[in-house]
Amino acid sequence: MKKVLMVLTSVSEIGDTGEKTGYNVAEAAHPWKVFKDSGHFVDFASIQGGQPPRDEVDSEDPIQVAFTEDEAARAGLYNTARVDVVDPDQYDGVYLVGGHGTMWDFPDSEGLQNLVASVYNAGGLVGAVCHGPAGLLNVVLDNGLRLVEGRKVAAFTNDEEVAAGKDKVIPFFLADRLEEQGATHVSADVFEEKVVVDDRLVTGQNPASAAGVAKEMEKLFAEVIHQEKAEVQHEAEALRAKKDAVKDAEKAAAEAEH
């Protein structure tokens, strides 16, 4: 079992518009189901801790409904940990949930930057979808490079911001900012699914891409688990061979005495 931390925004309003926002429920629910169905442990954190605000739930989406009604998920979301007090060593992967609020609190959160960098530096996976990649900005790895530098990524596009009517409200265009920090932004048509995998970084363009990001992360987890099992088996075989060699040597010594 792998442990995945899902990180949520703490911003409840889009700029100074008065329009309510929060984490995108679909972008949390669908990956949550993928991770949960794969047997992984899912935990939650947010920028400020406590109960994070959320966007509206689509009552016609059974996965969103199941997510909001699941007792373990409800308990985890009731009082999330602040990202700056989370122990990154406890997690094998971190997944950044989108929602317009992330554009205001993800990029400048040193706690989130340290968390993402620590998980990646330790060999873990980093996933993000839609506006979640705002949390990849300003993340610097142990090698001195930005996490997104030289990597292909997907995120909410400029055209999608225009289509959503948020292009005059957001503090910056996410796709442009990612490219300014050295990434290559890869996109599909407006609101079409797009998932990009670059080493241990998995990103998605929009809500339609959320489950796909989690599925690609799951594939990478499966490879790690397979490798870990192979290493354990190899160590067991080596130990067995060593014991057999000792027994053979003892038997040979006993026979030589007679």
Side-chain angles (χ1 to χ4, degrees):
M1 176 186 292
K2 297 296 182 181
K3 294 183 69 175
V4 181
L5 181 69
M6 302 182 76
V7 181
L8 314 164
T9 181
S10 293
V11 172
S12 61
E13 183 179 324
I14 297 179
D16 56 2
T17 65
E19 182 178 349
K20 298 301 181 183
T21 188
Y23 70 87
N24 184 288
V25 179
E27 294 171 18
H30 286 261
W32 164 82
K33 178 172 171 54
V34 172
F35 295 136
K36 182 170 174 287
D37 288 351
S38 299
H40 300 317
F41 176 82
V42 179
D43 205 353
F44 301 94
S46 61
I47 301 301
Q48 295 183 6
Q51 188 169 12
R54 72 184 188 194
D55 283 338
E56 293 184 7
V57 178
D58 181 356
S59 60
E60 296 184 358
D61 181 351
I63 295 177
Q64 290 189 47
V65 173
F67 174 72
T68 57
E69 294 180 349
D70 183 83
E71 290 187 6
R74 286 167 63 92
L77 290 165
Y78 181 73
N79 188 24
T80 62
R82 294 198 323 271
V83 289
D84 56 359
V85 300
V86 170
D87 179 4
D89 293 340
Q90 297 298 311
Y91 297 97
D92 304 288
V94 59
Y95 171 84
L96 309 181
V97 180
H100 268 97
T102 62
M103 296 286 282
W104 280 268
D105 65 352
F106 271 21
D108 297 321
S109 170
E110 292 185 6
L112 180 57
Q113 293 163 20
N114 293 335
L115 171 66
V116 171
S118 295
V119 170
Y120 197 87
N121 286 329
L125 308 185
V126 173
V129 71
C130 199
H131 291 92
L136 305 178
L137 297 171
N138 307 316
V139 174
V140 179
L141 302 177
D142 282 347
N143 59 14
L145 298 177
R146 295 183 186 273
L147 173 59
V148 300
E149 192 170 339
R151 298 188 185 280
K152 293 180 180 179
V153 298
F156 208 60
T157 69
N158 296 0
D159 288 341
E160 286 172 325
E161 292 289 9
V162 173
K166 298 296 188 293
D167 55 304
K168 301 295 194 297
V169 179
I170 53 173
F172 56 87
F173 283 107
L174 180 54
D176 291 350
R177 185 64 59 86
L178 287 165
E179 292 207 325
E180 289 172 5
Q181 296 202 357
T184 298
H185 182 255
V186 183
S187 64
D189 291 338
V190 172
F191 302 129
E192 293 294 322
E193 179 181 0
K194 183 65 179 180
V195 177
V196 176
V197 181
D198 193 321
D199 193 25
R200 289 177 285 111
L201 176 63
V202 185
T203 50
Q205 179 172 320
N206 45 39
S209 312
V213 170
K215 289 175 182 177
E216 290 299 328
M217 291 179 70
E218 178 52 36
K219 290 179 184 178
L220 294 174
F221 276 138
E223 292 177 5
V224 171
I225 292 171
H226 178 75
Q227 182 178 351
E228 289 174 346
K229 288 182 177 179
E231 290 175 352
V232 169
Q233 183 177 356
H234 177 73
E235 291 175 358
E237 291 175 349
L239 180 60
R240 189 179 303 112
K242 183 177 180 180
K243 289 182 177 179
D244 289 344
V246 170
K247 289 181 179 179
D248 291 343
E250 291 175 346
K251 181 179 179 181
E255 292 177 347
E257 290 179 359
H258 296 290

